[in-house]
Amino acid sequence: MKQTDTPPVLVTGATGRVGRLVVNQLLDAGVPVRALTRRPEAAATLPAKAEVFIGDLAVPESLDPVLSGAGAVFLVWTAAPQTVEAVVERLAAHARRVVLLSSPHRTPHPFFQQPNPMAVLHAEIERLIAATGLQSTILRPGMFASNSLAWWAPAIRAGEVVRWPYGAAESAPVDDRDIAAVAARALSQDGYAGGDYVLTGAESLTQAAQVDVIGDALGRRIAFEEMTPDEFRRLSGGTAPGPAAEMLLAAWSAAVGQPAYITTAVADILGTAPRTFRQWAVDHAGAFTQGS
């Protein structure tokens, strides 16, 4: 089938850390892409082969032009919940398939069972999609490896001690590139309709051990000190809303002494083992160095 015969895939959140990779994966596979972004200035950062549209999930009618003729949609919810129903109605009216980036809120592991407003929103989106009869695939990544860039890179670049709560909490960080590869597969190939996949890395690591791995990638030791939850609440005020900070603290607290929940979904779908956190750290070492 020629690329021109393939209905385009709409990628929402196209400039985000997963959406941007999904755009690349689809284009590399010869699949035409419509990239949705809220910010006109962001269009220049997207590949020339992608057809860029300006729209916003918070303004459902802005999606009509980009949805017309689209075959599949990669949905990353980046807006307030008020417009979810209207957006899902539009997806059902135009597209045949939707792949939703959700969360592992159904996973029977204490890390994922703490009160979480985003999980509540994801559950509602899943319910609405199921009611439409759309072909759907639900992707549930666990802890993103790239979270460490926001959490620890500033201190590491400054040569400071990494201070963080619940250093003994374990997770199985999943590489954003593996999430994107699974999404691209589900968007462009048959056989994944009805799929519900929890995506994790292959190894359980404490947060302190993850900092050690980053240090190994940089060729130097990075000191780690335990921070109290109250300190985290105070210091995260400018970067994480109160509910998000509380959700993280509850999840980390529940994960202490619990090996991370691990699945084989990435390997099962892609036919290759998920990237290790060590490989992610080596590939992103430049982001942790001074001046990057």
Side-chain angles (χ1 to χ4, degrees), residues 190-213:
D190 293 330
Y192 301 98
D196 191 316
Y197 305 105
V198 177
L199 308 178
T200 73
E203 58 183 337
S204 181
L205 293 168
T206 67
Q207 298 198 94
Q210 291 171 41
V211 172
D212 286 342
V213 169

Side-chain angles (χ1 to χ4, degrees), residues 71-75 91 95-100 129 132 134-138 186-187:
V73 177
F74 180 58
L75 181 60
L91 299 187
R96 181 173 62 92
R97 174 183 304 175
V98 61
V99 175
L100 173 67
I129 289 174
T132 67
L134 272 166
Q135 293 182 17
S136 64
T137 306
I138 310 300
L187 287 161

